[in-house]
């Protein structure tokens, strides 16, 4: 036996609305900030995923002499000791991959970028030491 109540369709519509709105409110906003540490292999996959065209900026935050001795292909060098001086030159809406030698200096830069409201920042866990240990490419 089927029960037909005149308010049943309106009730079901109201339940569906509550469920959909509840789910949407729990989702992160499209402009939510992503700041996290990734492994060298994840970083390499991120770099290779662009098919030769990076959709992000790779920043080596080591000293210029360390950068010259070897860095990730495509990286630019902004020394962590002077990073705050260059913060206003960077686009907070862009995506960044940062690293140093062992992730000590880059963790400070990561937090500086988080506090400044940068949208998407990835830090390489273990820095250049871990990158080299994973056998990933280095130039310079």
């Amino acid at each position: 036996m089927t029960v037909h109540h005149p308010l049943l369709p309106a009730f079901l519509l109201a339940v569906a609305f509550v469920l959909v709105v509840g789910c949407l409110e729990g989702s992160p906003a499209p402009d939510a900030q992503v700041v996290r540490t990734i492994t060298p292999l994840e970083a390499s996959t991120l770099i290779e995923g662009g098919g030769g065209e990076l959709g992000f900026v790779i920043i080596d935050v080591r000293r210029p002499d360390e950068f010259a001795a070897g860095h990730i292909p495509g990286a630019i060098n902004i020394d962590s000791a002077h990073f705050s001086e260059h913060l206003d030159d960077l686009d907070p809406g862009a995506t960044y991959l940062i690293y140093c030698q062992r992730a000590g200096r880059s963790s400070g830069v990561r937090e500086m970028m988080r506090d400044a409201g940068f949208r998407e920042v990835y830090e390489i866990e273990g820095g250049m030491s871990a990158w080299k240990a994973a056998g990933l490419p280095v130039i310079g």
Side-chain angles (χ1 to χ4, degrees):
M1 175 167 127
T2 306
V3 177
H4 292 283
H5 191 280
L7 296 179
L8 186 60
F11 173 75
L12 292 175
L13 184 59
V15 168
F17 177 78
V18 168
L19 289 173
V20 169
V21 170
C23 289
L24 290 176
E25 287 179 8
S27 300
D31 58 347
Q33 191 178 41
V34 176
V35 179
R36 60 182 220 130
T37 302
I38 60 176
T39 67
L41 291 176
E42 288 172 317
S44 177
T45 301
L46 185 66
I47 293 167
E48 292 172 7
E53 296 218 9
L54 295 179
F56 56 92
V57 179
I58 304 170
I59 304 176
D60 183 321
V61 300
R62 298 177 299 158
R63 294 185 321 267
D65 61 309
E66 293 173 295
F67 180 80
H71 57 272
I72 294 174
I76 62 170
N77 183 224
I78 303 176
D79 189 332
S80 64
H82 307 286
F83 198 85
S84 62
E85 300 166 21
H86 298 276
L87 208 54
D88 289 339
D89 299 332
L90 301 173
D91 177 4
T95 300
Y96 296 91
L97 175 64
I98 61 171
Y99 69 94
C100 62
Q101 190 61 38
R102 287 183 209 82
R105 292 171 280 183
S106 60
S107 65
V109 168
R110 179 194 68 221
E111 292 308 306
M112 186 185 310
M113 294 177 85
R114 176 196 310 270
D115 293 346
F118 279 74
R119 182 182 64 83
E120 198 167 357
V121 180
Y122 299 95
E123 176 191 20
I124 299 177
E125 179 180 27
M128 181 55 85
S129 294
W131 180 270
K132 287 180 179 177
L136 296 168
V138 174
I139 61 169

